[in-house]
Amino acid sequence: MAPISDSTRLLHDLEPVVTENLDRHLAAAKEWMPHEYVPWSLGRDFADLGGDAWDPEQSRLTPVARTALEVNLLTEDNLPSYHREIERAFGRDRAWGAWVHRWTAEEGRHAYCIRDYLLVTRGVDPVELERARMDVMQTGFDAEEKPLLHVLAYVSFQELATRVSHRNTGRYASDPIAEKLLARVATDENLHMVFYRNLVKAALEIDPGPTLRAITDEVVGFQMPGSMIAGFTRKAAQIAKAGIYDLRIHHDEIIWPLLRQWGVFDLEGVGAEGEKARGELADFLTGLDAQATRFEEQRARLEARQAAGS
Ligand SMILES: [Fe+2]
Ligand SMILES: [Fe+2]
């Protein structure tokens, strides 16, 4: 008989936790209707149907708000790749499979309601947006053979990061309709984060050493799921400069709340592997904190210079 892999054993050991959290999720997730969040009365035909082509003057959004909304939307657009990734890691069976499909169904509405909002309000260039969507989906998202514990740690951080990114983009957009829509999407992301966070918590009890290793690897190597978007580095820099998502937010509002929830630095009896991973994590966090402070100082200096010059 072939040996049972660590991931296969963990899938089995974690299944009762998945069942319990799927039930909790289904009870907590309120039904909502994406069409209720889109101001359809603002919509009109584009050029090929006898209307006007898009023009930047038509957008009520600032260039940075446009960039942030576009990055969030293109990230959501890559759902087929994310579905493939979690189906590979979690499988299609029983509670795991039920979660994979439920999660995919919930994620499915995020891209189309944000796109509907942007098209109806003429918030972004629809031609550029469509070309970028084609590009992102053809590039896809590939986590290769990432083991189960690493996938669980990554999606915990990623769901929280997308929650904060949607919520802060909504606030920044200065449009109450965009804010309401993105707050609703952020509520979905929050419930997803809670689901994965609880699985990591259970994994820490079952296998503390390997789970701490996975958490450390995913914090150290973290990349936003949209990092394959063309011009992502430049766009992320604009988003950080505007304070929508920056290193300080990443450190204070994404990484640390989860590490605290999991009690990462309080757990006892984590073995040599766990201690080693935790040491590396602590060192990395010290560096990240310093880097976040440097970025904030640079930004403040730049803002002060701009204010003095204007
Ligand atoms: Fe989403
Ligand atoms: Fe999500």
Coordinates of all heavy atoms in Angstrom, one line a residue, residues 19 30 33 45 90 100 128 134 137 152 159 161 180 187 195 213 221 231 248 251 269 276 304:
T19 N -16.5 20.6 8.3 CA -17.9 20.4 8.4 C -18.5 21.4 9.3 O -19.5 22.1 9.0 CB -18.3 19.0 8.9 OG1 -17.6 18.0 8.0 CG2 -19.8 18.7 9.0
K30 N -25.3 36.0 4.9 CA -26.6 36.5 4.5 C -26.7 36.5 3.0 O -25.7 37.0 2.3 CB -26.8 37.9 5.1 CG -27.1 37.9 6.5 CD -27.8 39.2 6.9 CE -27.9 39.5 8.4 NZ -26.5 39.9 8.9
M33 N -28.0 40.5 -3.1 CA -28.2 40.6 -4.5 C -27.3 41.6 -5.2 O -27.5 42.8 -5.0 CB -29.7 40.9 -4.7 CG -30.7 39.9 -4.3 SD -30.4 38.4 -5.3 CE -31.0 37.1 -4.1
D45 N -25.6 53.6 -23.7 CA -24.9 52.9 -24.8 C -23.5 53.4 -25.1 O -23.3 54.6 -25.0 CB -25.7 52.9 -26.1 CG -27.1 52.2 -26.0 OD1 -27.2 51.4 -25.0 OD2 -27.9 52.4 -26.8
F90 N -7.9 20.9 -1.8 CA -8.9 20.4 -0.9 C -9.7 19.2 -1.5 O -10.4 18.5 -0.7 CB -10.0 21.5 -0.6 CG -9.4 22.8 0.0 CD1 -10.1 23.9 0.0 CD2 -8.1 22.8 0.5 CE1 -9.6 25.1 0.5 CE2 -7.6 24.0 1.1 CZ -8.3 25.1 1.1
V100 N -15.5 24.1 -1.4 CA -14.8 24.6 -2.7 C -15.9 25.2 -3.6 O -15.7 26.3 -4.1 CB -14.1 23.4 -3.4 CG1 -13.7 23.8 -4.8 CG2 -12.9 23.0 -2.6
E128 N -9.7 49.1 -22.2 CA -8.4 48.8 -21.4 C -8.7 47.7 -20.4 O -8.0 46.8 -20.2 CB -8.0 50.1 -20.7 CG -6.5 50.2 -20.5 CD -6.2 51.5 -19.7 OE1 -6.2 52.5 -20.4 OE2 -6.1 51.4 -18.5
M134 N -8.5 39.9 -20.2 CA -8.0 38.8 -21.1 C -6.6 38.4 -20.8 O -6.2 37.2 -20.7 CB -8.1 39.2 -22.6 CG -9.4 39.4 -23.2 SD -10.3 37.8 -23.3 CE -9.3 37.0 -24.6
M137 N -6.4 36.6 -17.2 CA -6.9 35.2 -17.2 C -6.1 34.3 -18.0 O -6.0 33.1 -17.7 CB -8.4 35.2 -17.7 CG -9.3 35.9 -16.6 SD -11.0 35.7 -17.0 CE -11.3 34.0 -16.6
L152 N -3.6 26.7 3.2 CA -4.5 27.2 4.2 C -4.0 28.5 4.8 O -4.7 29.5 5.1 CB -4.7 26.2 5.3 CG -5.6 25.0 4.9 CD1 -5.6 23.9 6.0 CD2 -7.0 25.4 4.5
E159 N -7.4 36.3 2.1 CA -8.8 36.8 2.2 C -8.9 38.0 3.1 O -9.7 38.9 2.8 CB -9.6 35.7 2.9 CG -9.8 34.4 2.0 CD -10.9 34.6 0.9 OE1 -11.4 35.7 0.7 OE2 -11.1 33.6 0.1
A161 N -6.4 40.2 3.4 CA -5.9 41.3 2.5 C -6.9 41.8 1.5 O -7.0 43.0 1.3 CB -4.6 40.8 1.8
K180 N -20.6 51.4 -0.6 CA -21.5 50.4 -0.1 C -21.3 49.0 -0.8 O -21.3 48.0 -0.2 CB -23.0 50.9 -0.4 CG -24.1 50.0 0.2 CD -25.4 50.7 -0.1 CE -26.5 49.6 0.2 NZ -27.7 49.9 -0.5
T187 N -17.4 42.1 3.3 CA -18.0 41.2 4.3 C -17.9 39.8 3.8 O -17.7 38.9 4.7 CB -19.5 41.6 4.4 OG1 -19.5 43.0 4.8 CG2 -20.2 40.8 5.5
F195 N -13.3 31.3 8.0 CA -13.3 29.9 7.7 C -11.8 29.3 7.7 O -11.5 28.4 8.3 CB -14.0 29.7 6.4 CG -14.0 28.2 5.9 CD1 -15.1 27.4 6.3 CD2 -13.0 27.6 5.2 CE1 -15.2 26.1 5.9 CE2 -13.1 26.3 4.8 CZ -14.1 25.5 5.2
R213 N 5.7 26.2 10.3 CA 6.5 26.3 9.1 C 5.8 27.0 8.0 O 6.2 27.9 7.3 CB 7.0 24.9 8.8 CG 7.9 24.8 7.5 CD 9.3 25.2 7.8 NE 9.5 26.6 7.5 CZ 10.5 27.4 7.9 NH1 11.3 26.9 8.8 NH2 10.6 28.6 7.5
G221 N 6.9 34.9 2.2 CA 6.9 35.0 0.7 C 5.6 35.6 0.2 O 5.3 35.4 -1.0
G231 N 1.8 45.8 -15.0 CA 2.1 47.1 -14.3 C 1.7 47.0 -12.8 O 1.6 48.1 -12.1
R248 N 2.4 49.2 6.2 CA 1.9 49.4 7.5 C 0.6 48.6 7.7 O 0.4 47.9 8.7 CB 1.8 50.9 7.9 CG 1.2 51.2 9.2 CD 2.0 50.6 10.4 NE 3.4 50.9 10.4 CZ 4.3 50.1 11.0 NH1 4.0 49.0 11.5 NH2 5.6 50.5 10.9
H251 N 1.3 44.9 7.7 CA 1.9 44.4 8.9 C 0.9 44.4 10.1 O 0.7 43.5 10.8 CB 3.1 45.3 9.2 CG 3.8 45.0 10.6 ND1 3.3 45.6 11.7 CD2 4.8 44.2 10.9 CE1 4.1 45.1 12.7 NE2 5.0 44.3 12.2
G269 N 5.2 23.7 23.4 CA 5.4 22.4 22.9 C 5.3 22.3 21.4 O 4.7 21.3 20.9
K276 N 12.0 26.8 15.3 CA 12.9 27.4 14.2 C 12.0 28.3 13.4 O 12.4 29.4 13.1 CB 13.5 26.2 13.4 CG 14.5 26.7 12.4 CD 15.2 25.5 11.8 CE 16.2 26.0 10.7 NZ 15.6 26.5 9.5
A304 N 4.7 66.5 2.6 CA 5.1 67.8 3.2 C 5.7 68.6 2.1 O 5.4 69.8 2.0 CB 6.0 67.6 4.3

